[in-house]
Amino acid sequence: MIITNNINKPHIDKIQTDIISPVDGEKISEIRFTTIDGLENIVKKAEEAFQKWSSKTLKSRTTVLFNYRDRLEKNRHQITDLIRKENGKTIDEADAEVSKAIEVVEFATSLQNQPLGVHLEVSKGVFCQSTREPLGVVSSITPFNFPCMVPNWTIPIALVLGNAMILKPSEKTPLTAHLLADILKDSGLPDNVFQVVDGGENIVNAICEHPQIKAISFVGSTNVAKLVYQKATHHLKSAVCLGGAKNHLLVLPDANPDMTASNVVASMSGCAGQRCMAASVMVGVGNIDNIVKLIVDKSKKLVLGKDIGAVITSDSVKKIEAYITEAIEQGANVLLDGRGSIIPETPNGFYVGPTVLDNVTPDMQIAKEEVFGPVLSIIRTHSIDEALNIQNASLYANGASVYTNSGSKASYVSSRLQAGMVGINIGIPVPREPFSFGGVKESKFGSSDITGESSIHFWTSLKKVTTKWNAEDQIDWMS
Ligand code: NAD
């Protein structure tokens, strides 16, 4: 059993939750929730730590990040094992999370070599200079589905820019967050520059209301993202809140069949469909029967537990299966049914097998709502514009892709897809750093993205300094 280092600390009370591994349904740990008094104490310590941390040079803060990068690499196996245990994804998927976390750390270390402000001689002997100043104590609130990558969308960038961070991970997968805290400490990060608090709605509300917390980033479902955005901005904090998704892949008949099918299957089934960039709806234009057949053939070959991990809870299994059942009752044609899947060695684990539904219609719930399971809904259309209308009607707009061999059709479709991240012949169009991550419409609230250049702006304020060294009276600084 893993015992988090948060247990036995004085700021926590007796409210606690069990951490259940989705792999086999066994309890692997328990975590006590941070109380409101506990949060108060943590914010106070963070403020003190911020004063010293922010007074260090960017170069010196970057040294800690270099150490952190090395230790993420060195502890890769421990991290991936823990992610697998508490989240249920496969080791390869957990490993990919660590790689993406490292990529963001590398972006953060590159900031020391970038001009973060401007210095201009605006008149003779008169200079204006802008600098990026850290905000103070900031908070990051994260979901269960990427216990390492999503926290690391925010940790390295916010810290290297001089802030002190309080991370509130999902109460379903808090163990990786505590391990990250240990790794940061081991990297030389001064005490209390990074702290983890545990809990659910209560502690999130307290974070949103706390006057000393200056900015909040949130990643999770749309309903909660909206609440957090409203609460945080009501309390005059800057906020960026990433929400849920419903990603459409438009498949044109001239697409490369094998590549498209492999790509769609990987996108739909990776992380058991629990990705905000997962393929959820495939919109076929014209006759794509050969591609659908390949998708089913390839999906049938996926081995549960080896190629597809678990979903997070038994309730998730029920919810996903209910979506499938309802779609079939409403007329969808089930080409592959993942309901009732069990792994004999771990019969109490939480699994849904890959599922492919054909002839789904845009009005069905399964076509509109986030299913968050390894389920592909196929909608058939006659024209590109019909397919685009279906994608454009979605409330969500995180990712969307088109598969075609025609450059002009790819260009026509990609310019009309409504999504923050668009792919051409790629099923999970997550941009690499320094391109930023973020959707639009109900997939994100707030103007910044969560990584990349706009995150630099999010985690800092802009200070403008005007200097006049020329003492000659006749120089008009407005000239
Ligand atoms: P969630 O919204 O249930 O939880 C996210 C965080 O909010 C957790 O830390 C949780 O403790 C907290 N929380 C839950 N209910 C709350 C409430 N009522 N008030 C205040 N805080 C609350 O999300 P989840 O189930 O952990 O994660 C899955 C969701 O996250 C999916 O919708 C997925 O699409 C989304 N997601 C989005 C992105 C993105 O980049 N857009 C990335 C990853 C996950």
Side-chain angles (χ1 to χ4, degrees):
M1 182 181 288
I2 301 150
I3 300 291
T4 73
N5 62 0
N6 197 14
I7 291 172
N8 296 331
K9 284 188 181 166
H11 62 266
I12 40 193
D13 70 9
K14 289 197 178 67
I15 307 167
Q16 63 180 58
T17 186
D18 290 344
I19 309 300
I20 306 294
S21 174
V23 175
D24 53 13
E26 296 290 321
K27 175 178 169 180
I28 51 168
S29 184
E30 57 196 25
I31 194 108
R32 291 183 210 174
F33 287 178
T34 307
T35 63
I36 305 302
D37 285 350
L39 177 69
E40 202 54 53
N41 191 21
I42 279 176
V43 173
K44 212 173 278 169
K45 288 194 287 185
E47 276 207 287
E48 284 163 21
F50 165 72
Q51 297 304 331
K52 286 194 191 143
W53 178 243
S54 58
S55 68
K56 288 180 185 289
T57 61
L58 179 56
K59 190 172 172 55
S60 133
R61 292 194 297 260
T62 303
T63 307
V64 175
L65 267 280
F66 276 122
N67 295 339
Y68 181 49
R69 189 214 174 283
D70 285 350
R71 281 158 181 75
L72 285 175
E73 200 63 86
K74 224 180 271 166
N75 293 292
R76 194 181 262 271
H77 293 306
Q78 189 189 0
I79 304 168
T80 51
D81 277 352
L82 189 52
I83 295 172
R84 163 134 182 88
K85 277 196 188 87
E86 72 169 347
N87 170 281
K89 62 179 66 176
T90 68
I91 285 288
D92 284 351
E93 290 164 351
D95 190 65
E97 261 203 67
V98 179
S99 296
K100 183 67 195 181
I102 286 174
E103 185 183 310
V104 184
V105 176
E106 286 171 352
F107 170 68
T109 60
S110 77
L111 298 187
Q112 65 169 344
N113 305 120
Q114 291 183 30
L116 298 179
V118 189
H119 189 241
L120 260 187
E121 187 175 25
V122 292
S123 185
K124 198 163 167 53
V126 181
F127 294 86
C128 278
Q129 181 187 10
S130 59
T131 56
R132 289 267 154 208
E133 304 290 309
L135 300 176
V137 180
V138 298
S139 183
S140 176
I141 301 164
T142 55
F144 77 81
N145 64 330
F146 283 93
C148 176
M149 181 188 79
V150 171
N152 277 297
W153 280 349
T154 59
I155 296 168
I157 303 171
L159 293 190
V160 86
L161 292 167
N163 300 287
M165 175 174 276
I166 297 171
L167 173 68
K168 207 303 284 173
S170 165
E171 64 276 40
K172 296 180 188 126
T173 57
L175 306 179
T176 307
H178 287 277
L179 179 57
L180 293 176
D182 290 346
I183 295 172
L184 278 163
K185 191 171 167 57
D186 189 50
S187 306
L189 189 73
D191 286 351
N192 305 322
V193 173
F194 178 79
Q195 299 176 85
V196 179
V197 295
D198 288 301
E201 182 177 353
N202 286 348
I203 200 72
V204 170
N205 286 342
I207 289 170
C208 291
E209 288 162 16
H210 202 292
Q212 299 315 121
I213 296 176
K214 304 297 179 202
I216 294 178
S217 76
F218 172 92
V219 181
S221 57
T222 287
N223 284 345
V224 183
K226 270 185 203 168
L227 287 175
V228 170
Y229 187 75
Q230 284 164 343
K231 205 159 269 190
T233 51
H234 176 76
H235 289 277
L236 306 177
K237 300 173 198 319
S238 48
V240 58
C241 298
L242 275 57
K246 188 80 188 167
N247 305 311
H248 294 70
L249 308 183
L250 273 56
V251 176
L252 276 48
D254 70 341
N256 177 309
D258 201 55
M259 184 275 288
T260 303
S262 301
N263 223 245
V264 172
V265 172
S267 178
M268 165 274 273
S269 64
C271 298
Q274 299 174 123
R275 285 193 284 198
C276 64
M277 292 294 280
S280 184
V281 178
M282 182 177 120
V283 190
V285 179
N287 187 347
I288 52 148
D289 288 351
N290 58 335
I291 298 175
V292 171
K293 183 180 177 321
L294 283 170
I295 287 173
V296 176
D297 290 348
K298 286 174 193 288
S299 299
K300 277 183 183 161
K301 290 190 184 130
L302 296 172
V303 179
L304 209 55
K306 179 174 164 281
D307 304 314
I308 299 197
V311 297
I312 191 69
T313 58
S314 55
D315 280 350
S316 298
V317 175
K318 284 185 204 139
K319 186 179 149 202
I320 297 161
E321 293 191 343
Y323 272 118
I324 300 168
T325 305
E326 186 191 59
I328 296 168
E329 283 167 3
Q330 290 172 347
N333 181 14
V334 61
L335 303 180
L336 188 61
D337 189 350
R339 289 174 298 172
S341 298
I342 284 183
I343 298 182
E345 305 83 60
T346 52
N348 296 322
F350 312 137
Y351 293 93
V352 179
T355 300
V356 183
L357 299 167
D358 201 356
N359 299 323
V360 170
T361 52
D363 55 316
M364 293 181 188
Q365 298 297 92
I366 203 163
K368 292 190 285 196
E369 296 175 8
E370 187 174 39
V371 178
F372 233 46
V375 181
L376 184 70
S377 300
I378 301 173
I379 299 179
R380 305 286 190 140
T381 63
H382 299 290
S383 71
I384 290 177
D385 286 338
E386 187 188 351
L388 279 169
N389 285 341
I390 290 168
Q391 192 280 334
N392 288 180
S394 178
L395 292 177
Y396 302 103
N398 219 33
S401 296
V402 56
Y403 289 87
T404 176
N405 271 328
S406 156
S408 64
K409 284 180 184 149
S411 164
Y412 181 87
V413 175
S414 67
S415 65
R416 286 164 178 80
L417 286 171
Q418 292 180 8
M421 293 165 280
V422 168
I424 297 173
N425 295 323
I426 183 163
I428 299 280
V430 174
R432 305 290 302 265
E433 295 307 312
F435 294 91
S436 55
F437 190 98
V440 291
K441 290 164 82 175
E442 297 232 334
S443 290
K444 193 188 73 177
F445 306 96
S447 57
S448 168
D449 273 354
I450 203 154
T451 63
E453 194 183 342
S454 65
S455 72
I456 302 170
H457 295 203
F458 182 74
W459 295 118
T460 55
S461 61
L462 193 63
K463 180 187 267 183
K464 286 73 61 182
V465 177
T466 305
T467 311
K468 176 172 176 288
W469 286 114
N470 197 321
E472 295 170 46
D473 291 347
Q474 66 272 30
I475 303 255
D476 173 5
W477 72 281
M478 290 295 286
S479 65

